[in-house]
Amino acid sequence: MDFKFTKSERIAQRVLVESGLDDPTEFPIEDIILGRNAFYEEKKLIGKEGEIVSVAGRSIITINSNIKFESKKRFAAAHELGHYEMHRKSFPVIFDTEEDLLNWYKAGPLETEANEFASEFLMPSEIFYNECNNKIFGPNIIAKLANRFKVSKTAAILKFVTRGNHPVVIVCCQDNKMKWWKASHDFRYFLEFEKDKTPPDGSVAYELFTTKKTYLEDELKQQIWKSDWLRMKNDDEQDTKFYEYCLHVKSFNYSISVIWED
């Protein structure tokens, strides 16, 4: 697959090569960080998921020991490694909250670059695409990708939108308000999106925020209609079936909806 890579993604690829890694799941992330001449530690942090402090040519990456899930801890560590590789000379102290790590397409340039680095470092694009190629898209694919690369489902979804094998659009909402969206390059429909507006009442996201209804297992893939999220060509166009997988991030009352057509 012929991908176009950002500068941050290319730096992640270089670090993988220099570290002698074909697959980053082969070694613990803390060992990789130590191999890059940075010190790694875990301790309780207040209001932060991770931080990096660089003084006199030495850097310490600290990850919040209160993070419950190893997949989330791995991404936070890879994110800080991205800051180390790209930003330590210009910014001696950088810290990141959970919200910084979630807001991929809303954060400032430093956080966007660190997220892109972490995503490519933990889920190399070529391997990621091969893992989902020739498979029918659905929530089960996201779960398998998350398990394969030892990342969260959120991280797997955000990677899939740029490196997956099926056209999708994702919409991030918080507190029943739409915040940002991202479509894969081959998604050919127009999303009806207005920042801070309530998600459409036919959507799974709207149902989540207004009724607290969540779906599990075989019900994760919910049938919706094109008109629920997407612009119709004209009044005569016949509505068609689409699907929505809505992942709820309880800590910040976020949802990430994946919308697609079979």
Side-chain angles (χ1 to χ4, degrees):
M1 193 69 179
D2 186 20
F3 295 120
K4 293 182 179 179
F5 296 105
T6 66
K7 179 182 177 181
S8 306
E9 289 173 325
R10 292 194 180 279
I11 292 173
Q13 293 165 358
R14 174 178 57 78
V15 173
L16 284 169
V17 171
E18 291 176 354
S19 301
L21 294 172
D22 294 322
D23 187 332
T25 62
E26 295 172 351
F27 292 96
I29 186 71
E30 54 267 34
D31 290 351
I32 298 171
I33 289 172
L34 290 170
R36 299 300 293 175
N37 297 317
F39 182 74
Y40 177 91
E41 66 176 3
E42 294 182 13
K43 68 179 184 181
K44 185 177 180 179
L45 297 174
I46 305 300
K48 296 179 285 187
E49 298 294 87
E51 67 178 12
I52 175 171
V53 178
S54 301
V55 179
R58 302 184 68 181
S59 297
I60 299 176
I61 289 175
T62 306
I63 301 301
N64 192 345
S65 59
N66 285 342
I67 296 176
K68 294 180 180 180
F69 301 105
E70 283 301 314
S71 58
K72 188 175 176 182
K73 193 176 289 185
R74 272 171 53 79
F75 194 90
H79 180 98
E80 300 307 326
L81 177 60
H83 282 313
Y84 171 78
E85 297 290 344
M86 297 182 289
H87 307 136
R88 71 182 187 275
K89 293 181 180 179
S90 301
F91 301 91
V93 179
I94 302 174
F95 66 87
D96 297 289
T97 67
E98 183 175 6
E99 195 165 13
D100 290 330
L101 301 180
L102 283 171
N103 286 334
W104 281 34
Y105 301 106
K106 183 183 173 185
L110 262 65
E111 297 310 316
T112 298
E113 289 173 356
N115 277 332
E116 288 176 347
F117 176 98
S119 178
E120 184 64 20
F121 188 83
L122 296 176
M123 299 172 281
S125 292
E126 297 292 344
I127 302 175
F128 186 92
Y129 182 81
N130 289 335
E131 287 290 335
C132 55
N133 194 27
N134 296 321
K135 295 181 176 67
I136 298 174
F137 177 72
N140 62 315
I141 295 298
I142 296 299
K144 288 178 181 178
L145 289 168
N147 183 64
R148 162 66 177 84
F149 293 100
K150 300 180 181 179
V151 298
S152 67
K153 291 177 182 177
T154 299
I157 288 171
L158 294 171
K159 185 72 174 184
F160 190 92
V161 75
T162 60
R163 298 293 187 255
N165 67 326
H166 193 90
V168 299
V169 61
I170 60 174
V171 183
C172 184
C173 301
Q174 184 181 31
D175 298 327
N176 204 26
K177 294 180 180 179
M178 295 186 286
K179 294 300 181 181
W180 53 262
W181 65 278
K182 179 76 173 178
S184 56
H185 69 91
D186 50 356
F187 191 80
R188 58 191 179 93
Y189 302 102
F190 187 89
L191 177 73
E192 295 280 11
F193 177 90
E194 185 177 338
K195 190 175 184 297
D196 288 330
K197 185 178 179 180
T198 300
D201 56 16
S203 67
V204 182
Y206 181 84
E207 182 181 26
L208 166 69
F209 287 112
T210 56
T211 71
K212 307 302 181 184
K213 172 70 175 177
T214 57
Y215 294 96
L216 302 172
E217 304 298 335
D218 294 340
E219 294 184 329
L220 287 171
K221 177 182 177 180
Q222 285 292 303
Q223 190 249 300
I224 58 172
W225 296 101
K226 177 183 178 181
S227 61
D228 288 328
W229 278 107
L230 306 169
R231 181 175 296 177
M232 304 294 284
K233 294 178 182 178
N234 51 57
D235 293 339
D236 296 326
E237 181 185 358
Q238 184 176 357
D239 219 348
T240 53
K241 290 181 180 180
F242 272 69
Y243 297 91
E244 181 177 353
Y245 165 38
C246 186
L247 180 68
H248 189 207
V249 183
K250 293 182 180 179
S251 52
F252 277 89
N253 202 26
Y254 261 87
S255 72
I256 298 179
S257 288
V258 188
I259 300 145
W260 76 99
E261 182 181 33
D262 274 351

